[in-house]
Amino acid sequence: MVPTLGGIRGRVETPRTGATDALVMNHHCRIEVDGPLPAGLREEMSRRFGLVQVRQDGRRTVLSDLTLDQAGLRALLDLLWDAGARVRAVTTTEAGAGQD
């Protein structure tokens, strides 16, 4: 009998311990949004993602000094979306790239 998840028949595999650790890649991220951030969003970002540098000039806000894996970046973008922020640009570079 094949186990089911959510009514879909298929093969269910449990990842081996440490098997995915080598696949996780962190990136330095910079995110630019239109206008100021909604109230309370800075505190929520700090709670979820640690120290985030936020620069605001009235017309745009830049979030930088973020080191996130792909899931963390997705979670941050979801948080910004849910707060109504309009993301203008996302720039990522592989963590450790160009550093000796």
Side-chain angles (χ1 to χ4, degrees):
M1 173 137 223
V2 177
T4 62
L5 291 175
I8 299 173
R9 294 179 59 86
R11 186 172 175 190
V12 178
E13 295 184 19
T14 304
R16 296 177 305 228
T17 303
T20 59
D21 292 345
L23 301 176
V24 174
M25 187 179 307
N26 288 326
H27 290 87
H28 295 294
C29 304
R30 179 184 180 277
I31 301 172
E32 184 178 325
V33 299
D34 280 342
L37 295 178
L41 187 57
R42 286 185 188 198
E43 292 81 17
E44 185 63 21
M45 286 188 311
S46 293
R47 187 182 73 76
R48 292 188 190 186
F49 305 103
L51 182 62
V52 178
Q53 182 179 1
V54 179
R55 278 192 338 256
Q56 185 175 325
D57 71 4
R59 294 187 335 215
R60 69 181 182 144
T61 301
V62 176
L63 311 175
S64 58
D65 289 342
L66 293 157
T67 302
L68 303 168
D69 61 7
Q70 187 173 14
L73 177 58
R74 170 71 186 266
L76 179 55
L77 291 172
D78 284 345
L79 179 64
L80 291 167
W81 173 274
D82 291 345
R86 182 174 176 200
V87 176
R88 300 292 294 170
V90 177
T91 306
T92 63
T93 55
E94 188 176 329
Q99 297 175 357
D100 294 320

